[in-house]
Coordinates of all heavy atoms in Angstrom, one line a residue:
M1 N -13.8 40.5 -8.9 CA -14.0 39.4 -9.9 C -12.7 38.6 -10.0 O -12.7 37.4 -9.9 CB -14.3 40.1 -11.3 CG -15.0 39.1 -12.3 SD -16.4 38.3 -11.6 CE -16.6 36.9 -12.7
R2 N -11.6 39.3 -10.2 CA -10.3 38.6 -10.3 C -10.0 37.8 -9.0 O -9.6 36.7 -9.1 CB -9.2 39.6 -10.4 CG -9.1 40.3 -11.7 CD -7.8 41.0 -11.8 NE -6.8 40.0 -12.2 CZ -5.7 40.4 -12.9 NH1 -5.6 41.6 -13.4 NH2 -4.8 39.5 -13.2
K3 N -10.4 38.4 -7.9 CA -10.1 37.7 -6.7 C -10.9 36.4 -6.6 O -10.3 35.4 -6.1 CB -10.4 38.6 -5.5 CG -9.8 38.2 -4.2 CD -9.8 39.3 -3.2 CE -9.3 38.8 -1.9 NZ -10.1 39.2 -0.8
R4 N -12.1 36.4 -7.0 CA -12.9 35.2 -6.9 C -12.4 34.1 -7.8 O -12.5 32.9 -7.4 CB -14.4 35.6 -7.3 CG -15.3 35.4 -6.1 CD -16.6 35.9 -6.4 NE -17.5 34.8 -6.7 CZ -18.8 35.1 -7.0 NH1 -19.2 36.3 -7.1 NH2 -19.6 34.1 -7.3
K5 N -12.0 34.5 -9.0 CA -11.4 33.4 -9.8 C -10.2 32.7 -9.2 O -10.1 31.5 -9.2 CB -10.9 34.1 -11.1 CG -11.7 33.7 -12.3 CD -11.0 34.2 -13.6 CE -11.8 33.8 -14.8 NZ -11.4 34.6 -15.9
G6 N -9.4 33.5 -8.5 CA -8.2 33.0 -7.8 C -8.6 32.0 -6.7 O -8.0 31.0 -6.6
T7 N -9.7 32.4 -6.0 CA -10.1 31.5 -4.9 C -10.6 30.2 -5.5 O -10.3 29.1 -4.9 CB -11.3 32.2 -4.1 OG1 -10.8 33.5 -3.8 CG2 -11.6 31.5 -2.9
R8 N -11.4 30.3 -6.5 CA -11.9 29.0 -7.1 C -10.8 28.1 -7.6 O -10.8 26.9 -7.4 CB -12.7 29.4 -8.4 CG -14.2 29.5 -8.0 CD -15.0 29.1 -9.2 NE -16.3 29.8 -9.1 CZ -16.9 30.3 -10.1 NH1 -16.4 30.1 -11.3 NH2 -18.0 31.0 -9.9
R9 N -9.8 28.7 -8.2 CA -8.6 27.9 -8.7 C -8.0 27.3 -7.5 O -7.6 26.1 -7.5 CB -7.7 28.8 -9.4 CG -6.6 28.0 -10.1 CD -5.8 28.9 -11.0 NE -6.5 29.4 -12.1 CZ -6.2 30.5 -12.8 NH1 -5.1 31.1 -12.6 NH2 -6.9 30.9 -13.8
L10 N -7.8 28.0 -6.4 CA -7.1 27.5 -5.2 C -7.9 26.3 -4.7 O -7.4 25.3 -4.3 CB -7.0 28.6 -4.2 CG -6.3 28.2 -2.9 CD1 -4.8 28.0 -3.3 CD2 -6.4 29.3 -1.8
I11 N -9.2 26.5 -4.6 CA -10.1 25.4 -4.1 C -9.9 24.1 -5.0 O -9.8 23.0 -4.5 CB -11.6 25.8 -4.0 CG1 -11.7 26.8 -2.9 CG2 -12.4 24.6 -3.7 CD1 -13.1 27.5 -2.9
G12 N -9.9 24.4 -6.3 CA -9.7 23.3 -7.2 C -8.4 22.5 -7.0 O -8.3 21.3 -7.0
I13 N -7.3 23.3 -6.8 CA -6.0 22.7 -6.6 C -6.0 21.9 -5.3 O -5.5 20.8 -5.2 CB -4.9 23.8 -6.5 CG1 -4.7 24.4 -7.9 CG2 -3.6 23.2 -6.0 CD1 -3.9 25.6 -8.0
V14 N -6.6 22.4 -4.3 CA -6.7 21.7 -3.0 C -7.4 20.4 -3.1 O -7.0 19.4 -2.7 CB -7.3 22.6 -1.9 CG1 -7.6 21.8 -0.6 CG2 -6.3 23.8 -1.5
L15 N -8.6 20.5 -3.7 CA -9.4 19.3 -3.9 C -8.7 18.2 -4.7 O -8.7 17.0 -4.4 CB -10.7 19.6 -4.6 CG -11.8 20.3 -3.8 CD1 -13.0 20.6 -4.6 CD2 -12.2 19.3 -2.6
L16 N -8.0 18.6 -5.8 CA -7.2 17.7 -6.6 C -6.1 17.0 -5.8 O -5.9 15.8 -5.9 CB -6.6 18.5 -7.8 CG -6.0 17.6 -8.9 CD1 -7.1 16.7 -9.5 CD2 -5.3 18.4 -9.9
S17 N -5.4 17.8 -5.0 CA -4.3 17.2 -4.2 C -4.9 16.2 -3.2 O -4.3 15.1 -3.1 CB -3.5 18.3 -3.5 OG -3.7 19.5 -4.0
V18 N -6.0 16.5 -2.6 CA -6.6 15.6 -1.7 C -6.9 14.3 -2.4 O -6.6 13.2 -1.9 CB -7.8 16.2 -1.0 CG1 -8.6 15.1 -0.2 CG2 -7.4 17.3 -0.1
L19 N -7.5 14.4 -3.5 CA -7.9 13.2 -4.3 C -6.6 12.4 -4.7 O -6.6 11.2 -4.5 CB -8.5 13.6 -5.6 CG -10.0 13.5 -5.7 CD1 -10.6 14.1 -6.9 CD2 -10.4 12.0 -5.6
L20 N -5.6 13.0 -5.2 CA -4.4 12.3 -5.6 C -3.8 11.6 -4.4 O -3.3 10.5 -4.5 CB -3.4 13.3 -6.2 CG -3.8 13.9 -7.6 CD1 -2.8 14.9 -8.0 CD2 -3.8 12.7 -8.6
V21 N -3.7 12.2 -3.3 CA -3.1 11.6 -2.1 C -3.9 10.4 -1.7 O -3.4 9.4 -1.4 CB -2.9 12.6 -1.0 CG1 -2.6 11.9 0.3 CG2 -1.9 13.6 -1.3
A22 N -5.3 10.6 -1.7 CA -6.1 9.5 -1.3 C -6.0 8.3 -2.2 O -6.1 7.1 -1.8 CB -7.6 9.9 -1.4
C23 N -5.6 8.5 -3.5 CA -5.4 7.4 -4.4 C -4.0 6.8 -4.4 O -3.7 5.9 -5.1 CB -5.7 7.8 -5.8 SG -7.4 8.4 -6.0
G24 N -3.2 7.4 -3.6 CA -1.8 6.9 -3.4 C -0.9 7.4 -4.5 O 0.2 6.9 -4.7
V25 N -1.3 8.3 -5.3 CA -0.4 8.9 -6.3 C 0.7 9.7 -5.6 O 0.4 10.4 -4.6 CB -1.2 9.8 -7.3 CG1 -0.2 10.5 -8.2 CG2 -2.2 9.0 -8.1
G26 N 1.9 9.5 -6.0 CA 3.0 10.2 -5.3 C 3.6 9.3 -4.3 O 4.6 9.6 -3.7
A27 N 3.1 8.1 -4.1 CA 3.7 7.1 -3.2 C 4.9 6.6 -3.9 O 4.8 6.1 -5.0 CB 2.7 6.0 -2.8
P28 N 6.1 6.6 -3.3 CA 7.2 6.0 -4.0 C 7.1 4.5 -4.2 O 6.5 3.8 -3.4 CB 8.4 6.3 -3.1 CG 7.8 6.6 -1.7 CD 6.4 7.1 -2.0
D29 N 7.6 4.0 -5.4 CA 7.6 2.6 -5.6 C 8.5 1.9 -4.6 O 9.4 2.5 -4.1 CB 8.2 2.3 -7.0 CG 7.2 2.7 -8.1 OD1 6.0 3.0 -7.8 OD2 7.6 2.8 -9.3
I30 N 8.2 0.6 -4.4 CA 9.0 -0.2 -3.5 C 10.3 -0.6 -4.4 O 10.1 -1.2 -5.4 CB 8.3 -1.5 -3.1 CG1 7.0 -1.0 -2.4 CG2 9.2 -2.2 -2.1 CD1 6.1 -2.2 -2.1
P31 N 11.5 -0.2 -3.9 CA 12.7 -0.5 -4.7 C 13.2 -1.9 -4.6 O 14.2 -2.3 -5.2 CB 13.7 0.5 -4.2 CG 13.3 0.7 -2.8 CD 11.8 0.6 -2.7
H32 N 12.6 -2.7 -3.7 CA 13.1 -4.1 -3.4 C 12.0 -5.1 -3.6 O 10.8 -4.8 -3.7 CB 13.6 -4.2 -2.0 CG 12.6 -3.7 -0.9 ND1 11.5 -4.4 -0.6 CD2 12.6 -2.6 -0.2 CE1 10.8 -3.7 0.3 NE2 11.5 -2.6 0.6
M33 N 12.4 -6.4 -3.7 CA 11.4 -7.5 -3.8 C 10.6 -7.5 -2.6 O 11.1 -7.2 -1.5 CB 12.1 -8.8 -4.1 CG 13.0 -8.8 -5.3 SD 12.2 -8.5 -6.8 CE 11.2 -10.0 -6.9
V34 N 9.3 -8.0 -2.7 CA 8.5 -8.1 -1.5 C 8.4 -9.6 -0.9 O 8.0 -9.8 0.2 CB 7.1 -7.5 -1.6 CG1 7.2 -6.0 -1.8 CG2 6.4 -8.1 -2.8
E35 N 8.9 -10.5 -1.8 CA 8.9 -11.9 -1.3 C 9.8 -12.0 -0.1 O 10.9 -11.5 -0.2 CB 9.4 -12.9 -2.4 CG 8.3 -13.3 -3.4 CD 8.4 -12.3 -4.6 OE1 8.3 -11.1 -4.4 OE2 8.5 -12.8 -5.7
G36 N 9.3 -12.6 1.0 CA 10.1 -12.7 2.2 C 10.2 -11.4 3.0 O 10.9 -11.3 4.0
R37 N 9.5 -10.4 2.5 CA 9.5 -9.1 3.2 C 8.1 -8.6 3.4 O 7.9 -7.4 3.2 CB 10.3 -8.1 2.3 CG 11.8 -8.3 2.4 CD 12.5 -7.1 1.7 NE 13.9 -7.2 1.9 CZ 14.7 -6.1 1.6 NH1 14.2 -5.0 1.2 NH2 16.0 -6.2 1.8
Q38 N 7.2 -9.5 3.7 CA 5.8 -9.1 3.8 C 5.6 -8.3 5.1 O 4.6 -7.5 5.2 CB 4.9 -10.3 3.9 CG 4.9 -11.2 2.6 CD 4.6 -10.4 1.3 OE1 3.9 -9.3 1.4 NE2 5.0 -10.8 0.2
D39 N 6.5 -8.4 6.1 CA 6.3 -7.7 7.3 C 6.9 -6.3 7.2 O 8.0 -6.0 7.8 CB 6.8 -8.4 8.5 CG 6.5 -7.8 9.8 OD1 5.7 -6.8 9.8 OD2 6.9 -8.3 10.9
C40 N 6.3 -5.5 6.3 CA 6.9 -4.2 6.0 C 7.3 -3.4 7.2 O 8.3 -2.7 7.3 CB 5.8 -3.3 5.2 SG 5.0 -4.3 3.9
L41 N 6.4 -3.4 8.2 CA 6.6 -2.5 9.4 C 7.7 -3.0 10.2 O 8.3 -2.2 11.0 CB 5.3 -2.5 10.2 CG 4.1 -1.8 9.5 CD1 2.8 -2.0 10.2 CD2 4.4 -0.3 9.3
S42 N 8.2 -4.2 10.1 CA 9.3 -4.7 10.9 C 10.5 -3.8 10.6 O 11.4 -3.6 11.4 CB 9.6 -6.2 10.7 OG 10.1 -6.4 9.4
C43 N 10.6 -3.4 9.3 CA 11.7 -2.5 9.0 C 11.3 -1.0 8.9 O 12.1 -0.1 9.3 CB 12.3 -2.9 7.6 SG 13.1 -4.5 7.6
H44 N 10.1 -0.8 8.4 CA 9.8 0.6 8.1 C 9.1 1.4 9.2 O 9.0 2.6 9.2 CB 8.9 0.7 6.8 CG 9.7 0.4 5.6 ND1 10.5 1.3 5.0 CD2 9.8 -0.7 4.8 CE1 11.1 0.8 4.0 NE2 10.6 -0.5 3.8
A45 N 8.6 0.6 10.3 CA 8.0 1.4 11.4 C 9.0 2.2 12.1 O 8.7 3.4 12.4 CB 7.3 0.4 12.3
Q46 N 10.2 1.7 12.3 CA 11.2 2.4 13.1 C 12.4 2.8 12.2 O 13.3 3.5 12.6 CB 11.7 1.6 14.2 CG 10.7 1.2 15.3 CD 10.0 2.4 15.9 OE1 10.6 3.5 16.0 NE2 8.7 2.3 16.2
G47 N 12.4 2.4 10.9 CA 13.5 2.7 10.1 C 14.7 1.8 10.3 O 15.8 2.3 10.4
E48 N 14.4 0.5 10.5 CA 15.5 -0.5 10.8 C 16.3 -0.8 9.5 O 15.8 -0.7 8.4 CB 14.9 -1.8 11.2 CG 14.1 -1.7 12.5 CD 14.9 -1.6 13.8 OE1 16.1 -1.9 13.8 OE2 14.3 -1.1 14.7
Q49 N 17.5 -1.2 9.6 CA 18.4 -1.7 8.5 C 18.4 -0.8 7.3 O 18.4 -1.3 6.2 CB 17.8 -3.1 8.1 CG 17.7 -4.1 9.2 CD 17.2 -5.5 8.7 OE1 17.6 -5.9 7.7 NE2 16.4 -6.1 9.5
G50 N 18.5 0.5 7.5 CA 18.6 1.4 6.4 C 17.3 1.7 5.7 O 17.4 2.5 4.7
A51 N 16.2 1.2 6.1 CA 14.9 1.5 5.5 C 14.5 2.9 6.0 O 14.8 3.3 7.1 CB 13.9 0.4 5.9
R52 N 13.7 3.5 5.2 CA 13.1 4.8 5.6 C 12.0 4.6 6.5 O 11.2 3.7 6.3 CB 12.7 5.6 4.4 CG 13.8 5.9 3.5 CD 13.6 7.3 2.9 NE 14.6 7.4 1.8 CZ 14.8 8.6 1.2 NH1 14.0 9.6 1.4 NH2 15.7 8.7 0.3
K53 N 11.9 5.5 7.5 CA 10.8 5.4 8.4 C 9.5 5.9 7.7 O 9.6 6.8 6.9 CB 11.1 6.4 9.6 CG 10.4 6.0 10.8 CD 10.9 6.8 12.0 CE 9.8 6.7 13.1 NZ 9.8 7.7 14.1
I54 N 8.4 5.2 8.0 CA 7.1 5.7 7.4 C 6.8 7.0 7.9 O 7.1 7.4 9.1 CB 6.0 4.7 7.8 CG1 6.0 4.4 9.3 CG2 6.1 3.4 7.0 CD1 4.7 3.6 9.7
P55 N 6.1 7.9 7.0 CA 5.7 9.2 7.5 C 4.6 9.1 8.6 O 4.0 8.1 8.7 CB 5.2 9.8 6.2 CG 5.2 8.8 5.1 CD 5.8 7.6 5.7
A56 N 4.5 10.2 9.3 CA 3.5 10.2 10.4 C 2.1 9.9 10.0 O 1.4 9.3 10.7 CB 3.6 11.6 11.0
D57 N 1.7 10.2 8.7 CA 0.3 10.0 8.3 C 0.1 8.5 8.0 O -1.0 8.1 7.6 CB 0.0 10.8 7.1 CG 0.8 10.5 5.8 OD1 1.6 9.6 5.9 OD2 0.6 11.1 4.8
H58 N 1.1 7.6 8.2 CA 1.0 6.2 8.0 C 0.6 5.4 9.2 O 0.4 4.2 9.2 CB 2.3 5.6 7.5 CG 2.5 5.8 6.0 ND1 2.2 7.0 5.4 CD2 3.0 5.0 5.0 CE1 2.6 6.9 4.1 NE2 3.0 5.7 3.8
T59 N 0.5 6.2 10.3 CA 0.3 5.5 11.6 C -1.1 4.7 11.6 O -2.1 5.3 11.1 CB 0.2 6.6 12.8 OG1 1.3 7.4 12.7 CG2 0.1 5.9 14.1
G60 N -1.0 3.5 12.0 CA -2.2 2.6 12.0 C -2.4 1.8 10.7 O -3.3 1.0 10.7
L61 N -1.7 2.1 9.7 CA -1.8 1.3 8.5 C -1.2 -0.1 8.7 O -0.1 -0.2 9.1 CB -1.1 2.0 7.3 CG -1.9 3.2 6.7 CD1 -1.0 3.9 5.7 CD2 -3.2 2.8 6.1
P62 N -2.0 -1.1 8.3 CA -1.4 -2.5 8.5 C -0.6 -2.9 7.2 O -0.7 -2.3 6.2 CB -2.7 -3.4 8.6 CG -3.7 -2.6 7.8 CD -3.4 -1.2 7.9
N63 N 0.2 -3.9 7.4 CA 1.1 -4.4 6.3 C 0.3 -4.7 5.0 O 0.9 -4.5 3.9 CB 1.8 -5.7 6.8 CG 3.0 -5.4 7.7 OD1 3.7 -4.5 7.5 ND2 3.2 -6.3 8.7
D64 N -0.9 -5.3 5.1 CA -1.6 -5.7 3.9 C -2.2 -4.5 3.1 O -2.9 -4.7 2.1 CB -2.6 -6.8 4.2 CG -3.7 -6.4 5.2 OD1 -3.7 -5.1 5.5 OD2 -4.4 -7.2 5.6
R65 N -2.0 -3.3 3.6 CA -2.5 -2.1 2.9 C -1.4 -1.4 2.1 O -1.7 -0.7 1.2 CB -3.1 -1.1 3.9 CG -4.4 -1.6 4.5 CD -5.6 -1.4 3.5 NE -5.5 -0.2 2.8 CZ -5.9 1.0 3.2 NH1 -6.3 1.1 4.4 NH2 -5.8 2.1 2.5
C66 N -0.2 -1.7 2.5 CA 0.9 -0.9 1.9 C 0.9 -1.0 0.3 O 1.1 0.1 -0.3 CB 2.3 -1.4 2.3 SG 2.4 -1.6 4.1
E67 N 0.7 -2.1 -0.2 CA 0.8 -2.3 -1.7 C -0.4 -1.7 -2.4 O -0.3 -1.7 -3.6 CB 1.1 -3.8 -2.0 CG 2.5 -4.2 -1.7 CD 2.8 -5.6 -2.0 OE1 2.8 -5.9 -3.2 OE2 3.0 -6.4 -1.1
A68 N -1.4 -1.3 -1.7 CA -2.4 -0.6 -2.4 C -1.9 0.8 -3.0 O -2.4 1.2 -4.0 CB -3.6 -0.3 -1.4
C69 N -0.9 1.3 -2.3 CA -0.4 2.6 -2.8 C 1.1 2.4 -3.3 O 1.4 3.1 -4.3 CB -0.4 3.6 -1.7 SG -2.0 4.0 -1.1
H70 N 1.9 1.6 -2.7 CA 3.3 1.4 -3.1 C 3.4 0.2 -4.1 O 3.0 -0.9 -3.7 CB 4.2 1.2 -1.9 CG 4.2 2.4 -1.0 ND1 4.9 3.5 -1.3 CD2 3.5 2.7 0.1 CE1 4.8 4.4 -0.3 NE2 3.9 4.0 0.6
Q71 N 3.9 0.5 -5.3 CA 4.0 -0.5 -6.3 C 5.3 -1.3 -6.1 O 6.4 -0.8 -6.1 CB 4.1 0.2 -7.7 CG 3.8 -0.7 -8.8 CD 2.4 -0.4 -9.4 OE1 2.1 0.8 -9.7 NE2 1.6 -1.4 -9.4
A72 N 5.1 -2.7 -6.0 CA 6.2 -3.5 -5.9 C 6.8 -3.8 -7.3 O 6.1 -3.8 -8.3 CB 5.8 -4.9 -5.2
P73 N 8.1 -4.1 -7.4 CA 8.7 -4.4 -8.7 C 8.3 -5.8 -9.2 O 7.8 -6.6 -8.5 CB 10.2 -4.4 -8.4 CG 10.4 -4.7 -6.9 CD 9.1 -4.2 -6.3
Ligands
HEC101 C1 14.1 -6.4 5.8 C2 13.7 -5.0 5.9 C3 12.6 -4.5 5.0 C4 11.3 -5.0 4.8 C5 10.7 -6.2 5.5 C6 10.6 -4.1 3.9 N1 11.5 -3.1 3.4 FE1 11.0 -1.5 2.2 N2 13.0 -0.9 2.3 C7 14.0 -1.5 3.0 C8 15.2 -0.8 2.7 C9 16.6 -1.1 3.4 C10 14.9 0.2 1.8 C11 15.8 1.3 1.1 C12 16.9 0.8 0.2 C13 16.6 -0.2 -0.9 O1 16.3 -1.4 -0.6 O2 16.7 0.1 -2.1 C14 13.5 0.1 1.5 C15 12.8 1.0 0.7 C16 11.4 1.0 0.6 C17 10.6 2.1 -0.1 C18 11.2 3.3 -0.8 C19 11.2 4.4 0.2 C20 11.8 5.6 -0.4 O3 12.1 6.5 0.4 O4 12.0 5.8 -1.6 C21 9.3 1.7 0.0 C22 8.1 2.5 -0.5 C23 9.3 0.5 0.7 N3 10.5 0.1 1.1 C24 8.1 -0.2 1.0 C25 8.0 -1.4 1.6 C26 6.8 -2.2 1.7 C27 5.5 -1.8 1.2 C28 7.2 -3.4 2.4 C29 6.3 -4.6 2.7 C30 5.7 -5.3 1.5 C31 8.6 -3.3 2.7 N4 9.1 -2.1 2.2 C32 9.3 -4.3 3.4 C33 13.8 -2.5 3.9 C34 12.7 -3.3 4.1
HEC102 C1 -3.1 5.6 1.0 C2 -1.8 5.3 0.3 C3 -0.6 4.8 1.1 C4 -0.6 3.6 1.9 C5 -1.8 2.6 2.2 C6 0.7 3.5 2.3 N1 1.5 4.5 1.9 FE1 3.5 4.8 2.2 N2 3.4 6.6 1.3 C7 2.3 7.1 0.6 C8 2.7 8.4 0.0 C9 1.7 9.3 -0.8 C10 4.0 8.7 0.4 C11 4.9 9.9 0.0 C12 4.5 11.1 0.7 C13 4.7 11.1 2.2 O1 5.9 11.0 2.5 O2 3.8 11.1 3.0 C14 4.5 7.5 1.1 C15 5.8 7.4 1.7 C16 6.3 6.2 2.2 C17 7.6 6.0 2.6 C18 8.8 6.9 2.3 C19 9.1 7.8 3.4 C20 10.2 8.7 3.1 O3 10.8 9.2 4.0 O4 10.5 9.0 1.9 C21 7.7 4.7 3.1 C22 9.0 4.0 3.6 C23 6.4 4.2 3.1 N3 5.5 5.1 2.6 C24 6.0 2.9 3.6 C25 4.7 2.4 3.7 C26 4.4 1.2 4.4 C27 5.4 0.2 5.1 C28 3.0 1.1 4.3 C29 2.1 0.0 4.9 C30 2.2 -0.1 6.4 C31 2.5 2.2 3.5 N4 3.6 3.0 3.2 C32 1.2 2.4 3.2 C33 1.1 6.5 0.5 C34 0.7 5.3 1.1

């Protein structure tokens, strides 16, 4: 009985995390202005000019999708 409860809780946690990630919760805010910087990938694809490189799970995401998850100032 105890074991089953634990399993259910684990499944709940896993499902919740998947949902949160899908909604972009946990995506860091953009610390800079985006005017004149619409080509996000020019800096972030390879980590140019001190920018952080996008994580591996971002492969294939186009520039116009970034702000769906990352909040601009
Ligand atoms: C000219 C290069 C450049 C462009 C273009 C650019 N960025 Fe950045 N970005 C940076 C740099 C440099 C930093 C880190 C330092 C800072 O500016 O505070 C950064 C930081 C970030 C961070 C924070 C990362 C972290 O680890 O906290 C996010 C998120 C981000 N940028 C998203 C974007 C998005 C989305 C776009 C397109 C709308 C974009 N950037 C366009 C250079 C760029
Ligand atoms: C579906 C939501 C989503 C979209 C769309 C998205 N991101 Fe992210 N991004 C995240 C999350 C969540 C994290 C933090 C967790 C991680 O590192 O995977 C993150 C992390 C980052 C980081 C920080 C990496 C680090 O080392 O700290 C950068 C830079 C970034 N994203 C840039 C971009 C750019 C550029 C685009 C558009 C091409 C983009 N993101 C599109 C969700 C998203």
